[in-house]
Amino acid sequence: MGCDASYICTFLSVFLWDLIYLSPILVFLLVLVCMLGVSIGRIEGWSTEVSLYHAFINATTVGYGDIKPEKPASRALAVINAFVGLIFAGIVVGIGVHAVEAAMVAEF
């Protein structure tokens, strides 16, 4: 079992088609991350840019710690934002696993 061009083409084809198929869900989750981020920023008094920065750092669970919510309501929203980010990442990883599986099955 080598990694040849047909394996890569099958993987990319399945991966991209699955992304297109699930794009409404992924776009909804991205919009939700943005809305939660802006909401957190308004509660905390941050600019829109800082709010979106925090939202995506939080959603990807990187969490640099340079910006953090201080008020209880914004902290609760940040937890929800992190869960939404985990769901988004899980879907993308699931798409990748499905594409690998399809490429391996097509190779045999």
Side-chain angles (χ1 to χ4, degrees):
M1 182 181 112
C3 186
D4 60 357
S6 68
Y7 178 86
I8 294 169
C9 288
T10 304
F11 170 81
L12 289 175
S13 175
V14 172
F15 186 78
L16 293 175
W17 276 112
D18 284 355
L19 276 179
I20 291 168
Y21 183 72
L22 292 173
S23 64
I25 295 170
L26 296 174
V27 168
F28 170 76
L29 292 173
L30 286 175
V31 168
L32 188 57
V33 166
C34 292
M35 288 172 41
L36 287 167
V38 169
S39 299
I40 292 167
R42 290 193 187 226
I43 294 170
E44 293 292 327
W46 299 337
S47 69
T48 303
E49 295 83 15
V50 171
S51 300
L52 292 175
Y53 167 77
H54 174 265
F56 282 97
I57 295 302
N58 187 23
T60 57
T61 67
V62 172
Y64 293 128
D66 54 346
I67 302 167
K68 56 187 177 190
E70 299 293 332
K71 298 180 178 152
S74 57
R75 286 183 177 187
L77 289 175
V79 170
I80 294 168
N81 191 26
F83 280 123
V84 172
L86 287 171
I87 293 167
F88 181 86
I91 291 171
V92 173
V93 168
I95 290 170
V97 168
H98 178 251
V100 167
E101 181 183 40
M104 290 181 76
V105 167
E107 197 162 292
F108 291 112

